[in-house]
Amino acid sequence: MVVRLVLGLAITLAVLAVAGRRAFQLYRIGRTGQAVEPGRTSGVGKRVLAVTTEVLGQRKLLKWSVPGAAHFAVFWGFTILFATIIEGFGALFDRDFHIPIIGTMTWLGFLEDLFIVAVLVSLAVFSVIRLRQSPEREGRRSRFFGSHLGPAWLVLFMIFNVMWTLLLYRGAQINTGNFPYAHGAFASEAVAKVLAPLGSTANDVLETVGLLLSLGVVLAFLVLVLYSKHLHIFLAPINVAFSRRPRALGALLPVYSGGKEVDFEDPGEDDKIGRGAIEDFTWKGLLDFGTCTECGRCQSQCPAWNTEKPLSPKLLIMSLRDHAAAKAPYLLAGPDTSALPKDVLAEAERSLVGLVSEGGVIDPDVLWSCVTCGACVEQCPVDIEHVDHIVDMRRYQVLIESQFPKEAHTLLRNLERAGDPWGRGAQARLEWMAGLPFEVRVLDEGQQLPADVDYLLWVGCAGSLDENAKKTTRAVAELLNEAGVQFMVLGGAETCTGDAARRLGQELLFQELGKQNVETLNAAGAKRIVVTCAHCFNALGNEYRQLGGDYEVLHHTQLLSQLVAEQKLVPVHPVEAAVTYHDPCYLGRHNRVFSPPREILAGVPGVRLTEMPRSHEKSFCCGAGGARMWMEETIGTRINETRTDEAIATGAELITAACPYCIVMLTDGANVRKQQGKAADELQVIDVSRVLLRSVRDPEAG
Ligand code: SF4
Ligand code: SF4
């Protein structure tokens, strides 16, 4: 008894000292981050709900059925088996110890054993998954590519050790008569049967050895967790609790510095614009980096990574985490850094964004490859906010360093001068309505929307100026007219929403364009707006609130599906075609509009809809988001062609989408494949509204 007490307490105190030191060190690193924006720490109810569903319920992990179920078992295993740790420490003092009240109840003994077995089975599942999906077998396609594989195996081994030592201890305890449970602990009873022939003395020794081993392994595991990616065991609940709610998709945050929004008209001297160094991130950003489990779910979904670009959201987060850890001694040292080791000083010298070959942490090609599709955020089980971090780094590059891909210069110049990406100007914004069989009502300057107008139709830059998108605008206008919906347009008073500028990092330009639009919309008394572009939908509906514009914004597929349901539009003419539907990222993943476009297609007679393997939340980007539409794609394969191939593989004769940018990208992809003889000449890429128009009017229309 004395031996086990002395040894047990000595090991515990030593480990707690090491663990406490490390926890304090991590806390100090976290404190080097900037203050978070307002609202990040309020709303206790929604944050408790998030932790309940995402951590306790493992909501996101369970979307990946097999590994999700295994992780569920391990998470709940460690939670339930905390009871065995209490029992173990109690037994250091008293061999007959049991947890008060519930500590001898059959169900608890059963539950503990059930989870010991479940965890052991899960370890086998994890091992098989890791072997089958190893980077050696799958190369870049493996979600574990770039993860620290050795430590991950070590952690699995440690968990295995926790389980078998526990079974050894419990089995011997049964034989020495010190086990708290008379029945129910089926696995421990099985081990006891194996150990029983060794006799009572041997079981006495095994009980002490098993107990010390079990507690020793648990304590060693605690230290390992604090020094490895398994830190997420402690950080994930905190990270989820303070993540953006309902999610870090949709609207981007304005530029914050020190917890306050930067006023670009009157910036403060100390304002930090974007993130130009690791210490510019908020403590929540640093928490994000430290919480990454290296699971690679984000990487497996990333369109950039899947088309051989250098960007992997996982590797980006890991690089930021490693840099933060390596630079931390410098940040914590205060003004006198002379005593710091050379490697720490060298780390402090690294540019946050710069060629990796020249010491940069994040390569510019990594930063500019992102299409802001949000697939990483959607998948991340610990709610890391990749897109916000990427855009924040872009903001610094654009607004402070003036460093960004040269093709984007043309985009920004056109937006500044003409208010649209093509540089066509306000007068061209009325051309789309030429040839319509009815007159579109255009709001005069200074005019308020008349009371009989149901919706303001926001046409958007592509909808006014791109030839293909103009057909969509005309189709939507015809359908609204057919349904008797009264609508007006702003004509030349519209200017670009600034979506692409914002995602490029040019927040100042976004604000200028946005404020101009908000002023126009508010002056017109706009309340209900319908848009045909997923990016305009997101900007007007989610982001303009930040600029003083609060509107009810409908995507055209939402309004059209409603009109079909109300039988104000009746699709009667069959459109005999195999059809597939591409979910635009900014309509689907960012704004959760999945059903209306599908409802429209389902209502059109003759349409045979086949989903692509990656659809809904898992949709694969067309390659246009994040202002990538306006930049050359010179690395790897083209995202739009990859997505077009997926659409073609469904046997589709019509590829449909609900965003002009997707239509442009997929049309380009289809044209390439037609030239290569890999797609039928008849293959068409059109907006869902045009399919509906063909059915409402006649099959040749639209
Ligand atoms: S937003 Fe999309 S492209 Fe960007 S890192 Fe995430 S998954 Fe990759
Ligand atoms: S960022 Fe999230 S999804 Fe990606 S590897 Fe880390 S924990 Fe997994």
Side-chain angles (χ1 to χ4, degrees):
M1 243 346 258
V2 178
V3 175
R4 69 155 77 170
L5 180 62
V6 172
L7 264 178
L9 288 182
I11 298 170
T12 305
L13 289 175
V15 166
L16 287 183
V18 174
R21 188 169 169 272
R22 174 65 174 163
F24 184 60
Q25 186 189 26
L26 291 170
Y27 169 75
R28 289 183 70 214
I29 294 175
R31 296 250 339 212
T32 62
Q34 300 287 313
V36 290
E37 74 281 2
R40 179 69 80 168
T41 50
S42 59
V44 176
K46 67 184 176 192
R47 299 193 181 278
V48 170
L49 184 66
V51 174
T52 308
T53 55
E54 312 231 331
V55 180
L56 302 183
Q58 306 265 291
R59 184 183 68 86
K60 284 189 174 177
L61 283 157
L62 285 171
K63 284 186 182 171
W64 293 50
S65 43
V66 176
H71 195 278
F72 185 90
V74 172
F75 170 80
W76 276 102
F78 268 83
T79 308
I80 301 288
L81 293 175
F82 191 71
T84 65
I85 298 175
I86 296 172
E87 289 168 351
F89 277 106
L92 286 179
F93 298 90
D94 174 6
R95 287 183 80 177
D96 286 330
F97 175 83
H98 61 80
I99 296 171
I101 307 172
I102 58 169
T104 55
M105 292 184 179
T106 302
W107 63 265
L108 184 57
F110 171 77
L111 212 56
E112 288 173 351
D113 271 30
L114 181 69
F115 274 98
I116 292 174
V117 174
V119 170
L120 286 170
V121 172
S122 299
L123 292 180
V125 171
F126 283 140
S127 301
V128 171
I129 290 172
R130 284 193 168 268
L131 288 171
R132 287 183 55 181
Q133 298 180 6
S134 71
E136 288 76 28
R137 278 173 71 115
E138 296 192 338
R140 265 178 74 105
R141 280 192 305 115
S142 165
R143 69 183 168 100
F144 302 116
F145 186 97
S147 300
H148 292 98
L149 302 173
W153 281 111
L154 180 60
V155 165
L156 291 186
F157 180 60
M158 290 298 283
I159 298 174
F160 173 70
N161 286 333
V162 172
M163 297 304 140
W164 78 256
T165 53
L166 199 52
L167 279 177
L168 174 70
Y169 166 56
R170 288 160 71 87
Q173 243 192 337
I174 291 173
N175 291 336
T176 56
N178 295 317
F179 195 54
Y181 307 100
H183 306 286
F186 62 95
S188 303
E189 285 164 13
V191 174
K193 280 197 185 121
V194 176
L195 299 180
L198 299 177
S200 61
T201 313
N203 273 284
D204 258 352
V205 174
L206 283 177
E207 185 193 322
T208 299
V209 170
L211 172 63
L212 292 177
L213 275 179
S214 162
L215 292 180
V217 172
V218 166
L219 291 167
F221 187 59
L222 173 67
V223 174
L224 179 66
V225 162
L226 289 172
Y227 280 92
S228 73
K229 74 173 184 98
H230 274 71
L231 195 56
H232 79 266
I233 292 174
F234 298 122
L235 296 188
I238 308 171
N239 205 49
V240 169
F242 292 111
S243 59
R244 271 221 274 154
R245 291 289 150 207
R247 49 189 178 268
L249 291 174
L252 282 172
L253 292 173
V255 177
Y256 282 98
S257 174
K260 292 201 192 86
E261 187 176 340
V262 172
D263 179 355
F264 281 96
E265 283 166 15
D266 184 20
E269 256 183 41
D270 297 331
D271 277 353
K272 289 179 186 296
I273 310 291
R275 315 287 183 230
I278 198 72
E279 59 269 29
D280 294 347
F281 286 92
T282 64
W283 60 256
K284 174 59 176 64
L286 298 178
L287 188 60
D288 267 3
F289 310 151
T291 308
C292 178
T293 70
E294 302 184 15
C295 69
R297 283 171 172 78
C298 56
Q299 180 173 286
S300 71
Q301 307 293 308
C302 175
W305 183 257
N306 278 290
T307 53
E308 292 89 42
K309 313 287 186 289
L311 166 65
S312 147
K314 175 185 76 178
L315 300 179
L316 177 125
I317 296 294
M318 286 168 60
S319 300
L320 292 170
R321 176 195 63 195
D322 295 346
H323 175 58
K327 192 175 175 183
Y330 175 85
L331 296 173
L332 295 170
D336 183 11
T337 55
S338 54
L340 289 173
K342 276 189 184 153
D343 58 332
V344 173
L345 293 172
E347 190 72 31
E349 289 293 307
R350 295 178 73 191
S351 318
L352 185 70
V353 176
L355 291 173
V356 169
S357 57
E358 294 174 8
V361 178
I362 303 296
D363 201 278
D365 279 338
V366 168
L367 188 66
W368 296 107
S369 290
C370 179
V371 289
T372 68
C373 70
C376 46
V377 179
E378 176 75 36
Q379 287 299 326
C380 182
V382 292
D383 282 354
I384 288 170
E385 299 166 1
H386 315 71
V387 176
D388 289 356
H389 300 318
I390 288 169
V391 172
D392 275 335
M393 286 189 280
R394 286 183 175 185
R395 284 169 170 169
Y396 184 86
Q397 292 304 304
V398 172
L399 296 169
I400 304 297
E401 298 282 341
S402 275
Q403 292 289 337
F404 50 95
K406 61 178 185 317
E407 313 94 275
H409 284 273
T410 314
L411 165 70
L412 295 177
R413 199 172 47 240
N414 286 339
L415 289 176
E416 278 165 17
R417 286 191 191 152
D420 66 74
W422 288 273
R424 298 277 311 282
Q427 70 287 350
R429 285 185 177 268
L430 296 168
E431 288 171 5
W432 66 271
M433 51 185 86
L436 279 177
F438 57 91
E439 196 176 330
V440 175
R441 296 162 72 189
V442 183
L443 208 69
D444 291 328
E445 200 183 331
Q447 187 193 352
Q448 287 258 322
L449 281 165
D452 70 317
V453 171
D454 302 308
Y455 290 96
L456 180 89
L457 173 60
W458 180 271
V459 183
C461 302
S464 328
L465 306 168
D466 174 79
E467 284 313 314
N468 220 340
K470 282 183 347 193
K471 292 180 190 163
T472 301
T473 316
R474 276 199 289 271
V476 172
E478 285 200 53
L479 287 164
L480 295 183
N481 187 55
E482 179 85 18
V485 174
Q486 294 298 319
F487 67 93
M488 289 187 84
V489 298
L490 289 172
E494 256 188 35
T495 191
C496 177
T497 59
D499 160 84
R502 190 172 220 198
R503 272 136 196 97
L504 192 71
Q506 215 331 347
E507 180 71 9
L508 188 55
L509 182 55
F510 163 75
Q511 293 208 3
E512 280 169 13
L513 294 166
K515 281 179 184 166
Q516 190 180 328
N517 281 324
V518 166
E519 203 176 303
T520 307
L521 289 165
N522 289 352
K527 294 273 180 292
R528 297 202 296 172
I529 303 173
V530 59
V531 300
T532 60
C533 167
H535 299 267
C536 297
F537 180 59
N538 188 58
L540 288 164
N542 295 329
E543 300 193 321
Y544 277 14
R545 260 180 234 129
Q546 299 165 0
L547 305 173
D550 201 352
Y551 318 108
E552 182 195 334
V553 182
L554 281 184
H555 188 257
H556 69 288
T557 57
Q558 291 175 308
L559 180 56
L560 294 178
S561 70
Q562 196 181 307
L563 294 172
V564 172
E566 291 166 358
Q567 299 202 320
K568 290 182 179 161
L569 290 173
V570 184
V572 284
H573 301 283
V575 179
E576 293 293 349
V579 176
T580 193
Y581 172 69
H582 162 82
D583 286 281
C585 301
Y586 276 86
L587 184 63
R589 209 160 23 232
H590 280 274
N591 282 293
R592 291 294 185 275
V593 179
F594 297 113
S595 302
R598 291 178 168 82
E599 284 162 9
I600 293 172
L601 292 171
V604 172
V607 161
R608 303 182 301 281
L609 181 66
T610 306
E611 294 284 359
M612 285 182 259
R614 293 182 280 200
S615 69
H616 296 79
E617 290 94 341
K618 286 193 171 178
S619 178
F620 192 79
C621 183
C622 69
R628 287 291 330 172
M629 168 132 161
W630 313 101
M631 297 181 226
E632 285 302 319
E633 196 176 334
T634 51
I635 308 174
T637 50
R638 296 179 69 91
I639 296 176
N640 64 328
E641 290 171 16
T642 305
R643 185 55 165 171
T644 307
D645 288 341
E646 202 170 332
I648 292 171
T650 65
E653 297 152 286
L654 277 182
I655 301 173
T656 61
C659 171
Y661 291 96
C662 301
I663 301 277
V664 167
M665 299 303 277
L666 297 174
T667 302
D668 282 356
N671 288 340
V672 169
R673 293 299 180 248
K674 283 180 195 175
Q675 281 162 13
Q676 294 170 340
K678 293 178 181 170
D681 286 342
E682 296 72 33
L683 178 67
Q684 281 190 310
V685 182
I686 62 171
D687 189 273
V688 168
S689 58
R690 291 177 61 195
V691 181
L692 179 61
L693 183 66
R694 288 178 187 187
S695 184
V696 169
R697 279 281 178 82
D698 88 63
E700 301 308 317

